[in-house]
Amino acid sequence: HYDIASNIHLTSITAYSEYRDEFQQNGDLSPLGYDLAKFEQNVRQWSEEARLNGTLFDNRLNWIVGSFFMGVSGWSNGFIGYLTDNFTEYDKAINLSDSGFFHLDYHITSRWRVSGGARWTWGKVKYHFRHPGLLVIAQPFSSKEHHWDWLLSTDYQITDNTLAYATVATGSRPPGITTIVITAQQMHTTPIEEMTSYEAGLKNEFFNHRVRLNVDGFYEDYSSRSTTEVGAQCLGELPAATWEPSASVCATKYPSNPAHVPWYITVGKPATIVGFEWDLTAAPTDNLLVDFSGGYNHFESGVKTPGAPGYIYPGNHLQPEWNMHADVQYTIPTSLGAVTPRLDWSWQSQQDFNSAPGASAPSPDFIIRPYSVWNG
């Protein structure tokens, strides 16, 4: 950290980490050993961030500008043994990310503030796929992207104890690489995920700061959300390959060699999330503390055609729509210190795990019904 001037500051942060793990799996959960695997993974990560920040106009404007770099190298070595198929794995992945950013925070009045900023990101992923005994791809497969994201927000101090705010921002997740493949032609880039998020809320304090109530509502609009589409690769087309939505296509296009293998691809589809949250904290006395928080979160796919990629069949809950938590504690002073009995309660609504949520409602075996957890 270096103070260039009284109102301009330079900060640099450098980090390096390295870690390793080793584990084994018995995939069929039986003593028969139909599916055994043993892996050793090594990861090295380094990052550098440099930023300038300062103030202008009698401290009414706070500004910051900077850059960030991160590089990750990972190795996965291991053995995978199935009943009729055994192979080793010697994979390496490299993930590089560069970004530049700025943010401005301006006080229009003592109670009204506006903020805004943007970030430009460049990223690259490179994957070396080497599975001797199954498949070795000679050349590494890579994926690149660059993207802008931005944020605008404002807040207003309505009273000394009530603050209103509103924010709109974009967000993205960079493209990746699908590595669960059967042939070299199936190595493909997964699409970028992009969304715009809107949020507004109130932050309140009452009764000499003994009660705090925060509420907000949000709406998130995915222009592209990753979802999996199952198809086939016609082996009669090799060494070229075209993803086909159905294996039956192979018998028509290549009658002399209708053989095929499954091919899973990732495609981007629209979706929305709408919801609200609340957090209520109260301290009626110096020793008593009560908290009650929760939220509603409704996900809806933008795909309305049954059977299409990204379609969600009615009755499926990919995540609980409702979550709530409450706790109460009371501090009892003693001559040896303080004893605090505490009771916690958490609850969530129904969630489902359906292997084909786009095709049917979940069967009873796939339903996690609403439940509570108590702790004391």
Side-chain angles (χ1 to χ4, degrees):
H1 181 83
Y2 181 73
D3 294 326
I4 299 175
S6 60
N7 63 338
I8 302 177
H9 314 283
L10 172 66
T11 302
S12 176
I13 303 171
T14 304
Y16 175 82
S17 63
E18 183 174 348
Y19 58 92
R20 173 183 178 275
D21 64 53
E22 188 173 347
F23 64 93
Q24 57 189 23
Q25 293 177 327
N26 180 11
D28 62 320
L29 301 178
S30 82
L32 302 178
Y34 287 159
D35 180 6
L36 298 175
K38 182 178 185 298
F39 287 98
E40 176 185 326
Q41 298 176 327
N42 296 271
V43 177
R44 297 174 183 171
Q45 176 178 303
W46 60 99
S47 63
E48 168 63 30
E49 179 178 357
R51 60 178 185 254
L52 279 170
N53 69 283
T55 60
L56 290 171
F57 310 126
D58 294 328
N59 295 327
R60 295 177 65 180
L61 174 66
N62 294 289
W63 59 268
I64 186 169
V65 60
S67 62
F68 179 81
F69 167 80
M70 184 175 71
V72 181
S73 296
W75 294 263
S76 181
N77 304 322
F79 170 82
I80 300 176
Y82 296 105
L83 186 62
T84 59
D85 196 3
N86 302 281
F87 61 91
T88 53
E89 175 181 301
Y90 302 101
D91 288 358
K92 179 182 179 181
I94 300 174
N95 192 335
L96 304 176
S97 179
D98 287 302
S99 63
F101 58 88
F102 73 90
H103 190 86
L104 304 175
D105 189 76
Y106 184 69
H107 289 264
I108 298 176
T109 69
S110 60
R111 291 183 175 270
W112 184 19
R113 181 178 61 168
V114 294
S115 302
R119 182 184 72 247
W120 180 87
T121 303
W122 173 90
K124 179 180 180 180
V125 180
K126 180 184 287 187
Y127 199 91
H128 300 256
F129 189 98
R130 296 187 294 267
H131 293 183
L134 178 69
L135 175 65
V136 175
I137 301 177
Q139 298 298 321
F141 190 86
S142 63
S143 170
K144 300 179 182 179
E145 66 96 18
H146 56 84
H147 198 269
W148 278 99
D149 283 304
W150 52 265
L151 175 146
L152 293 173
S153 68
T154 184
D155 58 73
Y156 186 78
Q157 195 77 44
I158 300 174
T159 70
D160 291 343
N161 296 317
T162 299
L163 175 76
Y165 69 92
T167 300
V168 56
T170 64
S172 61
R173 184 167 71 174
I177 299 173
T178 178
T179 59
I180 307 299
V181 299
I182 300 175
T183 68
Q185 293 79 16
Q186 293 185 4
M187 288 286 283
H188 268 262
T189 299
T190 62
I192 189 173
E193 286 194 329
E194 298 178 286
M195 75 178 313
T196 303
S197 175
Y198 307 85
E199 181 178 350
L202 292 170
K203 296 181 180 292
N204 307 275
E205 288 189 338
F206 308 103
F207 307 115
N208 197 28
H209 307 296
R210 285 193 174 272
V211 176
R212 175 178 295 169
L213 175 62
N214 298 329
V215 294
D216 73 85
F218 56 86
Y219 176 77
E220 298 174 353
D221 185 8
Y222 278 96
S223 58
S224 176
R225 175 182 175 270
S226 292
T227 187
T228 300
E229 187 170 4
V230 183
Q233 179 183 4
C234 304
L235 298 183
E237 191 178 8
L238 294 176
T242 303
W243 182 87
E244 303 292 351
S246 172
S248 61
V249 176
C250 299
T252 303
K253 294 178 67 174
Y254 306 98
S256 61
N257 183 9
H260 62 272
V261 292
W263 190 349
Y264 302 89
I265 64 171
T266 302
V267 294
K269 295 295 181 180
T272 58
I273 301 174
V274 62
F276 57 86
E277 300 170 318
W278 74 89
D279 181 20
L280 173 64
T281 302
T285 69
D286 291 342
N287 295 343
L288 177 62
L289 183 64
V290 180
D291 179 80
F292 178 48
S293 60
Y296 172 77
N297 188 2
H298 177 70
F299 171 87
E300 184 171 347
S301 173
V303 180
K304 304 303 180 183
T305 304
Y311 176 75
I312 304 297
Y313 196 91
N316 285 279
H317 302 80
L318 303 186
Q319 58 192 18
E321 288 194 338
W322 288 93
N323 288 274
M324 284 187 279
H325 172 83
D327 61 73
V328 56
Q329 68 179 46
Y330 188 83
T331 301
I332 305 171
T334 73
S335 60
L336 298 178
V339 178
T340 306
R342 179 182 173 94
L343 183 65
D344 289 274
W345 168 75
S346 295
W347 176 86
Q348 71 172 42
S349 62
Q350 179 175 324
Q351 184 178 11
D352 314 306
F353 177 76
N354 188 349
S355 56
S360 64
S363 66
D365 291 341
F366 291 138
I367 295 176
I368 303 173
R369 301 200 180 278
Y371 67 91
S372 294
V373 176
W374 293 85
N375 288 295

